Amino acid sequence: EPEVTQTPSHQVTQMGQEVILRCVPISNHLYFYWYRQILGQKVEFLVSFYNNEISEKSEIFDDQFSVERPDGSNFTLKIRSTKLEDSAMYFCASEGVANYEQYFGPGTRLTVT
Amino acid sequence: QKEVEQNSGPLSVPEGAIASLNCTYSDRGSQSFFWYRQYSGKSPELIMFIYSNGDKEDGRFTAQLNKASQYVSLLIRDSQPSDSATYLCAVNPPYGGSQGNLIFGKGTKLSVKP
């Protein structure tokens, strides 16, 4: 069964450093999302991406964040200058056309020290 | 502020019983509703979704939607210890240029005792 994959599974970085989180969505899906979940809290929407551009973004997704689909398979989230409060699980999700079902990847645990 | 509210639990049921999980949402125009299961340290896993008022059954799971009351629930029949997890209710708001982001509740932790 097709699945969303994410790398790395765990990333430790120092405050102020740039990180890139990578996702490979399900191959025939066209809508892509990033969510985050701070430990013990709810899953929060960050950004959605369709047709090579951002469709929606939340208040969390400020100028420090960017997304890119550099090729036909990868979807990346970049955090330019990490803060302690960016420590969270980051989930990528993808969705097919007209089925409204978002499937989540296993997540990347980001730890900012 | 669009909200999705769930009782955090824990909800404890004996094996074989029916577990009933509830969710309310604030945006009356919301169109689609999802239940995800999340095991500790894992990602959300889609169980089922519902768009229309009434019941929708899938195996041991039944989702119920009442748009007038802004209420959605999930029933798990013949609960198994492997059903022990946190159940997340998510709502797809009516706005947005994409298929729509999901607004999640905090989740209800279910514990099924053997």
Side-chain angles (χ1 to χ4, degrees):
Chain A
E1 186 174 316
E3 58 183 20
V4 178
T5 59
Q6 291 185 242
T7 53
S9 57
H10 190 190
Q11 173 91 45
V12 181
T13 189
Q14 289 190 327
M15 195 167 51
Q17 295 297 304
E18 175 183 287
V19 294
I20 297 176
L21 310 182
R22 293 183 166 80
C23 168
V24 178
I26 294 172
S27 63
N28 61 347
H29 284 186
L30 298 179
Y31 298 88
F32 313 115
Y33 305 84
W34 284 101
Y35 292 84
R36 80 172 186 190
Q37 186 176 31
I38 295 171
L39 186 64
Q41 299 189 25
K42 62 182 177 182
V43 177
E44 299 175 290
F45 167 74
L46 293 178
V47 65
S48 60
F49 193 86
Y50 170 69
N51 201 24
N52 284 320
E53 60 182 24
I54 290 174
S55 304
E56 290 178 81
K57 56 184 180 179
S58 71
E59 292 176 353
I60 303 168
F61 194 89
D62 62 20
D63 292 345
Q64 293 300 312
F65 290 87
S66 63
V67 289
E68 192 177 37
R69 188 155 162 83
D71 54 44
S73 59
N74 290 284
F75 179 50
T76 63
L77 174 69
K78 181 193 289 186
I79 308 175
R80 264 181 274 280
S81 178
T82 50
K83 307 182 186 72
L84 293 176
E85 54 265 36
D86 293 328
S87 295
M89 281 289 283
Y90 287 81
F91 297 112
C92 173
S94 73
E95 179 179 342
V97 176
N99 68 5
Y100 300 95
E101 297 170 39
Q102 293 184 27
Y103 293 93
F104 282 67
T108 292
R109 178 171 299 283
L110 177 65
T111 302
V112 182
T113 62
Chain B
Q1 181 79 2
K2 296 171 177 58
E3 297 284 344
V4 176
E5 299 289 342
Q6 295 181 256
N7 187 325
S8 61
L11 172 67
S12 184
V13 301
E15 184 175 356
I18 296 175
S20 177
L21 304 158
N22 305 313
C23 171
T24 58
Y25 58 95
S26 63
D27 191 336
R28 185 170 287 277
S30 298
Q31 297 293 323
S32 47
F33 308 87
F34 302 82
W35 283 100
Y36 283 83
R37 176 173 61 197
Q38 187 175 32
Y39 292 110
S40 181
K42 302 295 185 182
S43 62
E45 174 191 355
L46 181 63
I47 299 174
M48 63 189 304
F49 56 92
I50 187 167
Y51 307 136
S52 304
N53 276 327
D55 295 0
K56 179 181 178 183
E57 188 174 316
D58 184 359
R60 294 188 296 114
F61 299 97
T62 299
Q64 299 174 316
L65 175 61
N66 183 327
K67 289 187 178 180
S69 301
Q70 295 175 237
Y71 176 92
V72 58
S73 65
L74 179 71
L75 301 178
I76 307 174
R77 287 182 299 282
D78 188 23
S79 297
Q80 301 297 309
S82 58
D83 294 326
S84 297
T86 297
Y87 288 80
L88 310 179
C89 174
V91 174
N92 191 309
Y95 59 89
S98 71
Q99 303 273 64
N101 69 77
L102 295 177
I103 300 172
F104 282 85
K106 289 186 176 180
T108 298
K109 188 170 184 178
L110 173 67
S111 177
V112 181
K113 304 293 187 186

